[in-house]
Amino acid sequence: SPPLRRGRKGRKNNLQQGRWEEAVRNCEQALDVFRTLGDRHSEAWALGNLGNVYLQQGRLDEALGALSAARSVFEALGDAPSLVICYRLLARVHRARGEVGEALQALVAAMIVALQIHPQPVLEALDDVVTAAKGLGEQGEWWAVFNLRAGIFQALEEMAQQGIIREEMKPWA
C-alpha cells in the first residue's frame, strides 16, 4: 500500500492510528487543494490514500472508485512506481469483493508495469498473484500461477546471466 506519512513532529497520522473518518476528511481536503493547484501527481496520491482508507474501512465501492481515478492519473503522468502500488491496491479491493479474476488482472498489470522499473517488484506482485489465485479453490489453478512465478524468476536469472539485467537490479542480490 502507499507509504503512510507521519504528521509533524513524528506523530502518527490518522490512518496509522485508525481514525478512519478523520483520515477520509483529510484526504478529501488534500484532494481539493491539489486539484485547485493543478498538482496532478499529488492529486493521484491523495486519491490513492483515500482509496486505501476506504479499503481499510470496508467501503469497497468507494475504494474502487478512488483507486481507479488514481490509476488513470498515474497512467497519464507515466509514474510507473506509483502505478504498481495502485494496481496492487486495486487487486486487494477486488479480492475483498470476491472478484478473483479482476484481482489477478490488476496484479498482472502491476507486474507488466513493474518490469519497466525493476524485477524485484515483479516478484513481490507475483507473490500477491499466488495468494489471490488460491481463492480459485481446490481446482488447482493456483498451482499454475505459482509455476508462472517460478518461470518468471528463472527468466530473470537468465536475463541477468546475459547481462540484460544489471547486477544491482537482480532480485536475489
Side-chain angles (χ1 to χ4, degrees):
S1 60
L4 303 175
R5 298 181 184 167
R6 290 190 178 268
R8 285 178 288 193
K9 300 180 185 174
R11 289 176 289 166
K12 290 184 175 182
N13 67 25
N14 296 323
L15 185 54
Q16 290 170 314
Q17 294 177 2
R19 297 188 333 230
W20 306 115
E21 290 309 316
E22 196 171 339
V24 167
R25 279 192 304 277
N26 290 341
C27 288
E28 288 173 343
Q29 288 172 355
L31 184 58
D32 289 341
V33 168
F34 296 136
R35 284 182 172 155
T36 300
L37 295 173
D39 183 345
R40 300 282 290 156
H41 190 257
S42 294
E43 173 188 343
W45 270 104
L47 284 164
N49 285 331
L50 183 60
N52 191 19
V53 173
Y54 286 149
L55 174 60
Q56 300 303 317
Q57 290 180 300
R59 295 164 63 177
L60 302 179
D61 291 339
E62 291 164 291
L64 184 60
L67 290 167
S68 294
R71 181 200 63 221
S72 294
V73 176
F74 286 135
E75 285 175 345
L77 296 174
D79 183 349
S82 299
L83 192 54
V84 170
I85 292 168
C86 193
Y87 275 125
R88 291 180 72 191
L89 282 170
L90 282 165
R92 289 182 188 149
V93 171
H94 286 299
R95 277 193 358 229
R97 291 166 55 114
E99 301 165 346
V100 176
E102 288 85 351
L104 291 172
Q105 287 176 348
L107 291 167
V108 168
M111 288 185 289
I112 291 168
V113 174
L115 279 171
Q116 300 169 25
I117 309 165
H118 193 288
Q120 184 63 38
V122 175
L123 298 178
E124 292 169 3
L126 279 169
D127 287 339
D128 286 347
V129 168
V130 170
T131 300
K134 286 181 182 178
L136 294 173
E138 296 296 320
Q139 298 104 8
E141 291 95 338
W142 76 272
W143 280 108
V145 176
F146 182 80
N147 290 331
L148 170 66
R149 181 197 186 284
I152 290 177
F153 192 88
Q154 181 179 352
L156 290 171
E157 279 185 332
E158 290 171 7
M159 290 168 69
Q161 290 171 354
Q162 296 170 10
I164 297 170
I165 296 177
R166 297 187 315 269
E167 184 68 30
E168 69 273 11
M169 290 180 65
K170 291 180 184 176
W172 51 91

